[in-house]
Amino acid sequence: MDEIRLSVDATNELSKTASEAIQKAHEELDEPDADPKYTVHLGKAKGIIVGDNARQWNTFWELPKTVRRLLIVLLAGLLIAGSSFAVVRWVVPMFAPVYKTTFLIDAAEGDLASVTGALTTVIGNSGERDSQSLRSFGGECGSDENTTQLVGFGTGNRQEIAQAAQSVRQGTKATLQRGIVEAVSDFTTPFSLNAKQINRIIVVTRHGKDACDPDDEFVQSQIRDRVAAAGLSIEFRFIGYQVSDSGDELTKLAAQLKQQEPAFTDSPEELKRVLSWFTTIEPVLRSSQSVVNVLNPTVDKLNSATEAIKSGRFDLADAAMTEARDAVVDFEIKDLDGRTSSAEAVRLRDMAVRLRTLQASVIEAAEQLLGSARSGRNLTEPLAVYSKAADAYNAEAGNMTDELTSLRAKGPGGTG
């Protein structure tokens, strides 16, 4: 009987999986009159070649039944491998959260009730699409129980976090280093979805240094190295609440991690305000500022393009309009839609939506102006329409920038 060779491309992962399926099917071929062995040749895919008698089958149904069976197994393997790859590569990331936030609270000696009370109050106003978790630290040095993840990452778990915060047990020593190291590790567990934008650890501590290791520089180095090893960009927000020392070591730790300075608070009310700022207001500011940063440059270029249109440089106008059309802020506005638990968030969300609408009007006016210029018509009226649309956009952009500046001044380190 002729030697039959099946060629598949073994240079990619899908074909390697498929070739394994071929090998398995090859071992199970049971044609009684066949030669003892079929040859499966893994190389550049060129189809099905029949060797000894130089015969070639041109259609699937002309092939022997055993070969058809082998090809079906091959196709099935490709479909399974391909669908699995597609799910991991494209479908799963669609469900990734915008923010992943771990609340790391100090359970060592001190006013634990105020810390858990502040978190319980604030967590209900956090973003509904955020993935959040809760971890505490505080206990005996060297103990596996001196830091504990109380609630794992997930969306829609705000009530669970609030309940878990109320059940945190008082610890003994402030095992700050191990708490942070393990909190970083929580972001890299198997099958963990990376945040689309921000990974954060919000640390609320009553101690400025680790109680189990007197070498502060070593502690800072250990934490910095663990963050680097995680391979993720993680933002830290440190809140020092009635810290038992000057807080210098906490400030040094933030500097080592290249993060903003800690916010120090003395009263439960101030703690609640600062924690609320980081949890609910800061993400609103970030998404709102992103809308301004994306849309403003496109309108500036369209303004310049109007001069180019007058000079007959239609190519410059085309390029400016293409860039303006590609400036999409739907993602940021969708994030703001999930953060409307405060008056500030509602106001900024509405301003962002208006800004997007006004930018679309500017693009439409620019297109009409360009069309008139190309047809040789008088540009007085379309220029007036464009100027009106651009002025409306610039006014709203100015209002939104003022709102962001005012709100930012009210945060930690601000002057409001």
Side-chain angles (χ1 to χ4, degrees), residues 3-4 37 53 73 89 95 98 100 268-269 274 306 312 389 415:
E3 181 188 57
I4 297 175
K37 288 190 178 292
N53 294 331
V73 173
R89 178 66 177 82
F95 297 95
V98 177
K100 285 184 72 173
E269 293 74 21
V274 172
T306 60
T415 57

Side-chain angles (χ1 to χ4, degrees), residues 55-74:
R55 290 191 293 113
Q56 183 168 343
W57 287 287
N58 294 316
T59 68
F60 176 79
W61 295 109
E62 292 177 5
L63 297 172
K65 181 175 69 174
T66 50
V67 177
R68 294 201 305 269
R69 186 189 310 163
L70 187 148
L71 285 176
I72 290 172
V73 173
L74 165 62

Side-chain angles (χ1 to χ4, degrees), residues 187-198:
F187 284 85
T188 59
T189 56
F191 306 108
S192 176
L193 288 173
N194 293 331
K196 291 179 180 178
Q197 286 192 344
I198 308 298

Side-chain angles (χ1 to χ4, degrees), residues 309 321 359-371 382-383 385-387 389-390:
I309 290 174
M321 281 190 284
Q359 190 248 15
S361 296
V362 174
I363 295 173
E364 182 180 358
E367 290 173 339
Q368 292 175 356
L369 176 61
L370 181 58
L383 274 172
V385 172
Y386 177 84
S387 296

Side-chain angles (χ1 to χ4, degrees), residues 14-208:
L14 294 184
S15 292
K16 288 176 184 176
T17 303
S19 67
E20 293 173 359
I22 293 176
Q23 294 285 13
K24 183 175 180 181
H26 166 72
E27 294 169 1
E28 297 176 355
L29 290 174
D30 56 0
E31 186 170 327
D33 297 329
D35 289 339
K37 288 190 178 292
Y38 282 76
T39 300
V40 177
H41 175 67
L42 303 180
K44 184 78 174 170
K46 294 181 180 177
I48 300 172
I49 303 172
V50 180
D52 294 345
N53 294 331
R55 290 191 293 113
Q56 183 168 343
W57 287 287
N58 294 316
T59 68
F60 176 79
W61 295 109
E62 292 177 5
L63 297 172
K65 181 175 69 174
T66 50
V67 177
R68 294 201 305 269
R69 186 189 310 163
L70 187 148
L71 285 176
I72 290 172
V73 173
L74 165 62
L75 291 174
L78 282 171
L79 288 172
I80 293 171
S83 61
S84 299
F85 177 81
V87 168
V88 173
R89 178 66 177 82
W90 290 293
V91 177
V92 171
M94 291 173 59
F95 297 95
V98 177
Y99 274 71
K100 285 184 72 173
T101 302
T102 287
F103 294 95
L104 179 61
I105 61 175
D106 186 348
E109 56 185 359
D111 184 8
L112 176 60
S114 292
V115 174
T116 57
L119 179 59
T120 301
T121 301
V122 166
I123 191 67
N125 294 326
S126 61
E128 61 186 33
R129 297 186 182 93
D130 290 356
S131 179
Q132 301 176 123
S133 69
L134 174 64
R135 176 177 283 276
S136 66
F137 67 88
E140 296 299 323
C141 299
S143 170
D144 290 339
E145 297 179 355
N146 61 26
T147 181
T148 304
Q149 187 183 51
L150 302 165
V151 180
F153 279 114
T155 56
N157 61 357
R158 293 177 292 188
Q159 185 62 35
E160 183 181 359
I161 289 176
Q163 293 174 350
Q166 294 298 324
S167 64
V168 174
R169 295 181 180 179
Q170 192 88 48
T172 52
K173 297 179 180 180
T175 53
L176 177 63
Q177 175 190 350
R178 187 157 184 268
I180 293 178
V181 166
E182 293 302 318
V184 171
S185 298
D186 293 340
F187 284 85
T188 59
T189 56
F191 306 108
S192 176
L193 288 173
N194 293 331
K196 291 179 180 178
Q197 286 192 344
I198 308 298
N199 297 300
R200 302 190 302 170
I201 299 178
I202 298 178
V203 184
V204 183
T205 179
R206 294 183 308 283
H207 305 83

